[in-house]
Amino acid sequence: MKVFITGGSGFMGTNLIEDLLAHGHDVVNYDISPPRNKLQSNCWLMGDILELSRLKQGIEKFNPNFIVHLAARTDLDGRSILDYAANTDGVSNVIESLDAATSLSRVLFASSRLVCEIGYQPKTEDDYLPTTPYGESKVIGEQIIRERSAGIICPWMIFRPTSIWGPWFGVPYKDFFMMILNGRYVHPAKKRIRKSFGYIGNSVYMINKLLLCEVNLIHGNTLYLTDYPELEVKSWADMIAKKSGNKPPREIQYIILKLAAICGDTAKLFGWENPPLTSFRLDNLLTEMLHDTNDLKEICGKLPFSVERGIEETLAWINSEK
């Protein structure tokens, strides 16, 4: 395969490129930032997703069979939709550039679970309930794809990654691991919370399946990218602690965590970019997040990575980074 990946220097892109290269495929990573993994420097094409002419040139020269559009601004720090042009105008630029690839077979567009409030169960693929400018920008990106779908020259689909974790990750899930490793993570007492999370190795496996499965299974569809079955957060935290040789995380009353979250909110207002706990993170932790995976299961079948193996590989990567 010849795969053109926008935003391949990010967490998901780094892992996807590693897998594609390991299987002998040709890859171009179009990204404004250099690769996180320096071994991937040879396939990096520096470019901004907002530079239409350069994006078109890159696609035309490489002439890929597949495009995976990952490029986005993903933090939640923007104050308005205008701060997320990469997520709106960037999508338009990708669609505008598709006809530069004469051998294109399929294009996958990455969106986000935050097109809906955490815990909200959308009734249809265009049932939205965003609560942040980032989520709003991803809604607009999806709307642009569907509105311009008649001009997309090949089969296409949208996938919404849920909370994905594993090697090369960053905020907030690396912080979650590090808090457990440092003995600082505490869990809300008597709370057993289920989450549709995903290990990155399984996410990469799923993307490969989406690239190569029968067209009728994906064309025009929107799927959540997540492991199945869901995780239970306390059990996951206990397993991370056990695998790393630490004691199980302590449980603490909700009111104490709520006060700590308010302190984190205040600290953020005064310039602390990443306090360990905020109200947003606490609400995120306490709200169950479950997504329908029936269509994904039909395409992907049994996943290759267990939670236990994912934890082992993640801990090995963390140790290698020290």
Side-chain angles (χ1 to χ4, degrees):
M1 297 191 294
K2 296 181 68 177
V3 188
F4 189 94
I5 301 172
T6 69
S9 295
F11 163 48
M12 184 168 287
T14 299
N15 284 276
L16 178 58
I17 291 171
E18 181 178 338
D19 181 80
L20 290 170
L21 292 177
H23 287 87
H25 302 301
D26 294 330
V27 180
V28 163
N29 165 25
Y30 182 87
D31 200 307
I32 196 169
S33 300
R36 296 188 187 190
N37 185 343
K38 294 180 181 179
L39 297 177
Q40 298 175 4
S41 297
N42 289 340
C43 61
W44 176 44
L45 173 62
M46 186 175 70
D48 191 333
I49 197 66
L50 297 176
E51 296 179 20
L52 176 59
S53 60
R54 182 158 176 78
L55 177 61
K56 270 191 170 183
Q57 280 181 345
I59 291 175
E60 183 176 23
K61 182 176 181 180
F62 185 58
N63 196 21
N65 310 118
F66 303 94
I67 292 177
V68 182
H69 175 51
L70 301 176
R73 177 177 174 177
T74 59
D75 66 81
L76 303 179
D77 298 327
R79 296 187 176 183
S80 77
I81 195 71
L82 299 177
D83 294 322
Y84 293 94
N87 304 355
T88 54
D89 297 342
V91 171
S92 294
N93 286 347
V94 170
I95 295 172
E96 186 74 19
S97 302
L98 295 180
D99 58 4
T102 59
S103 302
L104 195 59
S105 298
R106 192 167 302 186
V107 57
L108 308 185
F109 295 93
S111 182
S112 169
R113 66 177 175 85
L114 289 180
V115 295
C116 291
E117 182 179 21
I118 296 168
Y120 181 74
Q121 298 288 338
K123 300 173 182 64
T124 62
E125 63 184 21
D126 55 359
D127 177 16
Y128 297 117
L129 189 63
T131 58
T132 63
Y134 166 72
E136 292 174 15
S137 73
K138 284 298 190 176
V139 169
I140 293 172
E142 288 194 10
Q143 291 171 334
I144 290 170
I145 295 164
R146 295 192 185 98
E147 289 167 2
R148 299 180 59 181
S149 61
I152 299 178
I153 61 174
C154 64
W156 60 273
M157 72 160 297
I158 297 168
F159 64 91
R160 296 173 180 168
T162 58
S163 296
I164 310 299
W165 56 280
W168 300 104
F169 61 176
V171 176
Y173 300 105
K174 186 177 182 182
D175 291 348
F176 178 76
F177 267 72
M178 297 310 298
M179 289 179 72
I180 294 172
L181 299 185
N182 294 326
R184 293 189 290 111
Y185 175 72
V186 292
H187 191 81
K190 299 180 181 179
K191 297 289 186 180
R192 298 295 178 261
I193 309 141
R194 297 174 301 158
K195 299 279 191 179
S196 290
F197 281 5
Y199 175 62
I200 187 62
N202 288 330
S203 302
V204 167
Y205 171 81
M206 292 172 189
I207 292 173
N208 275 296
K209 287 287 189 179
L210 296 173
L211 288 172
L212 297 173
C213 69
E214 295 179 15
V215 168
N216 65 294
L217 294 176
I218 61 100
H219 181 48
N221 291 345
T222 302
L223 297 176
Y224 282 92
L225 202 70
T226 182
D227 285 5
Y228 41 83
E230 67 275 359
L231 278 175
E232 195 281 306
V233 176
K234 180 59 165 61
S235 297
W236 182 39
D238 287 346
M239 193 180 297
I240 295 169
K242 183 178 179 180
K243 288 288 183 182
S244 59
N246 289 279
K247 294 180 180 179
R250 292 171 296 145
E251 296 192 52
I252 195 167
Q253 294 300 317
Y254 168 76
I255 187 63
I256 298 175
L257 291 174
K258 183 61 179 177
L259 290 172
I262 293 171
C263 291
D265 296 340
T266 305
K268 198 164 185 178
L269 288 174
F270 283 92
W272 189 359
E273 291 186 2
N274 188 31
L277 189 64
T278 62
S279 294
F280 178 84
R281 287 187 178 180
L282 182 59
D283 291 343
N284 188 352
L285 173 64
L286 291 173
T287 304
E288 288 208 327
M289 183 181 71
L290 304 173
H291 296 294
D292 183 0
T293 57
N294 288 328
D295 290 344
L296 191 65
K297 287 179 183 177
E298 182 181 354
I299 296 169
C300 299
K302 184 179 179 180
L303 301 179
F305 292 90
S306 65
V307 175
E308 185 174 24
R309 183 180 168 193
I311 290 171
E312 290 170 352
E313 295 200 355
T314 303
L315 291 175
W317 175 78
I318 289 173
N319 287 331
S320 74
E321 290 292 292
K322 290 181 179 177

